[in-house]
Amino acid sequence: LNNYKAGFRHFQQWARAERIAWDGSTAVSERILCAYAASMSGVYAAGGASSKLAGLHFWHDQRGFTWQGSERLRRILKSVGLAAPPSARKEQRPPVTEAMLDEALNRLDTRRPFDVCVATAALVIFWGQLRLGEALSSTRTYDFASLPTGKCVKLRADAGGRLDQMTTAIWLPRTKTERAGVWIWLARHYNDPSYALQHHLDVNGISRDDPLFAYKHDTTGALVPLTRNAFLSRLNEIWRAAGMQTVTGHCFRIGGTTALLRAKVDPEVVKVAGRWKSDSFLRYWRTLDTII
């Protein structure tokens, strides 16, 4: 929503600078949309320009106005992408690697509830190709309608689940694209997320109605939801000390996708398991030389 608001503000500033008479009482015309898109040529990459137009499109949807996008607008956006300066293109985000996971697991204290929670979240998010916001809270105020709780886990048989349970399953109540929720499935790995989950549930005493990724406070023993900032700060602290790269949240999803491809999992299976709606996940492949 913040990105959408920023995109709409950018359009308003551009319209004022160009002395365009538009007061917000009607839809923006196709001609003005095309002029606005063209004005971003040589300044923004295609993604940046599309993001700003998405904010303007969202504003139209909110007010019931018909969006005047067209084939001409699409062609202009494509040209904006071709004319993008090098400075507008972000460097590829590095993936979290299996070696980084190993280093973190070696350094995290298995007797400390916080570290146990961090280790478990790292394995589940990595192998499940999750976005950080699908599993972890942004604040200590937990959104139970959007984030998983203890009852959302079905452990694999040899990790403490039912005998007929072949994989561990986690229900995500809401994701970026599945607003009604979706199941994710975790297979066996040498750093197994299923055993980590079982250990975490026991150490932190997670009940059915507790946040799934929460930990007992070191001094008070109160259950505290693991936040994204606390999660990334603890892991980056370990990786920085080991001379490894530091990462952002999306690097886990990139890393999990890359690891599955390197393990020779069929790309179509990776796509479905990662809940990719299109072949856009191909943009996140890393170490392509090794995969080939």
Side-chain angles (χ1 to χ4, degrees):
L1 289 176
N2 286 335
N3 287 340
Y4 283 161
K5 290 175 183 176
F8 179 66
R9 285 196 301 270
H10 184 267
F11 171 77
Q12 287 180 305
Q13 291 163 0
W14 172 83
R16 283 196 294 269
E18 295 294 332
R19 294 189 174 89
I20 291 172
W22 179 77
D23 60 5
S25 62
T26 60
V28 179
S29 72
E30 187 259 2
R31 184 183 180 192
I32 292 176
L33 287 177
C34 289
Y36 174 54
S39 73
M40 292 186 268
S41 179
V43 181
Y44 293 99
S50 296
S51 177
K52 295 188 183 307
L53 280 164
L56 186 55
H57 194 166
F58 180 70
W59 180 90
H60 279 68
D61 290 344
Q62 281 187 313
R63 283 153 184 78
F65 292 153
T66 301
W67 177 246
Q68 302 295 322
S70 64
E71 178 62 22
R72 180 166 62 164
L73 178 61
R74 189 193 67 79
R75 289 199 304 270
I76 289 173
L77 278 174
K78 183 176 180 180
S79 297
V80 168
L82 293 173
S87 59
R89 294 185 174 91
K90 294 181 180 179
E91 291 185 9
Q92 285 190 330
R93 283 171 287 194
V96 172
T97 66
E98 291 170 88
M100 292 171 70
L101 283 183
D102 291 342
E103 180 68 22
L105 294 173
N106 285 333
R107 298 294 179 184
L108 291 167
D109 188 347
T110 57
R111 297 164 298 177
R112 186 186 178 200
F114 172 72
D115 278 3
V116 170
C117 184
V118 169
T120 304
L123 290 173
V124 170
I125 291 168
F126 182 87
W127 290 117
Q129 301 182 76
L130 269 64
R131 304 171 183 90
L132 232 60
E134 295 171 344
L136 302 180
S137 178
S138 58
T139 68
R140 290 191 177 182
T141 302
Y142 202 74
D143 184 354
F144 286 91
S146 302
L147 296 168
T149 59
K151 63 188 173 191
C152 294
V153 177
K154 294 182 181 293
L155 285 172
R156 193 179 67 220
D158 56 1
R162 299 196 318 265
L163 292 178
D164 61 346
Q165 191 77 25
M166 300 299 294
T167 55
T168 288
I170 299 178
W171 174 253
L172 301 177
R174 183 178 299 169
T175 72
K176 181 179 178 180
T177 56
E178 293 94 357
R179 310 307 288 176
V182 66
W183 285 102
I184 63 161
W185 308 91
L186 299 172
R188 288 185 180 88
H189 297 281
Y190 74 94
N191 48 14
D192 204 310
S194 299
Y195 286 119
L197 268 169
Q198 183 189 44
H199 182 57
H200 162 63
L201 295 175
D202 292 341
V203 167
N204 284 299
I206 304 297
S207 69
R208 288 177 53 81
D209 295 320
D210 289 328
L212 178 57
F213 295 110
Y215 57 93
K216 291 179 179 176
H217 192 276
D218 289 340
T219 55
T220 66
L223 201 61
V224 181
L226 178 65
T227 64
R228 300 172 212 171
N229 283 341
F231 172 76
L232 287 173
S233 295
R234 181 70 178 106
L235 291 174
N236 279 327
E237 175 188 28
I238 292 171
W239 293 330
R240 192 179 296 109
M244 294 178 162
Q245 63 196 5
T246 57
V247 301
T248 60
H250 203 64
C251 297
F252 278 86
R253 184 161 163 83
I254 297 169
T257 299
T258 301
L260 291 170
L261 290 167
R262 291 185 65 184
K264 301 179 182 178
V265 178
D266 188 286
E268 286 300 312
V269 175
V270 176
K271 178 179 176 180
V272 174
R275 298 157 290 119
W276 298 94
K277 295 299 184 184
S278 69
D279 288 338
S280 62
F281 84 106
L282 301 178
R283 293 187 290 112
Y284 293 115
W285 283 22
R286 303 292 187 268
T287 63
L288 188 57
D289 53 337
T290 304
I291 294 168
I292 289 174

